[in-house]
Amino acid sequence: MIVNDNEAATLTGISIDDETDWKKAVSKLIEAGVENVVVTAGARGVMAGQAGGIMKHYPAISWITVEDVTGAGDAFVSGVLHGYLSGMEIGEAIRCGLMNAGKTLESSLTVRPELSREQLKIEMEEF
């Protein structure tokens, strides 16, 4: 499950004001039966949790110059799914999503024109 912090707050009834709340929301979704949970929070990054108690914060890419936020969430999800379906471990797939979202934030377009499997691979090697 990939949701943003507002969606996670709605689903769990937990107002996500700080990292403690963020972790509680992820834990509550796991307790509800979701095996893998990713909660995004824009510039604060991503909190991911898995059944079995593994939880990790992934910071947003800090060197990004934001041109337009439109499409960044979709770019994150597509990057995670691409990475996961390509055989990456969940952490690496999340980093793939962060890179794709970051590069989308730098574009004035909703879908960055240089996006390709090859380009994303190059960017991930530099990440």
Side-chain angles (χ1 to χ4, degrees):
M1 170 184 268
I2 302 174
V3 294
N4 65 40
D5 52 350
N6 292 326
E7 293 163 334
T10 298
L11 289 168
T12 63
I14 297 170
S15 177
I16 302 174
D17 299 317
D18 57 29
E19 190 167 321
T20 300
D21 297 334
W22 205 359
K23 288 179 179 180
K24 285 179 186 175
V26 170
S27 293
K28 190 166 184 178
L29 291 168
I30 290 169
E31 289 167 10
V34 181
E35 190 172 327
N36 295 293
V37 176
V38 178
V39 178
T40 65
R44 293 190 298 165
V46 173
M47 186 70 68
Q50 296 178 297
I54 300 170
M55 191 170 311
K56 184 171 181 180
H57 175 252
Y58 296 85
I61 299 173
S62 60
W63 43 264
I64 295 299
T65 302
V66 177
E67 178 71 27
D68 187 351
V69 299
T70 307
D74 292 334
F76 174 77
V77 172
S78 65
V80 172
L81 291 174
H82 167 74
Y84 188 76
L85 294 172
S86 296
M88 293 179 188
E89 294 293 325
I90 191 68
E92 190 66 12
I94 289 170
R95 288 172 24 109
C96 187
L98 287 168
M99 176 57 72
N100 199 37
K103 290 295 186 173
T104 299
L105 286 167
E106 289 186 322
S107 176
S108 62
L109 303 172
T110 303
V111 177
R112 58 190 179 114
E114 78 280 4
L115 178 58
S116 69
R117 176 180 295 195
E118 294 77 25
Q119 182 62 33
L120 189 55
K121 182 178 178 184
I122 291 167
E123 293 163 354
M124 287 298 295
E125 289 170 359
E126 297 170 355
F127 187 27

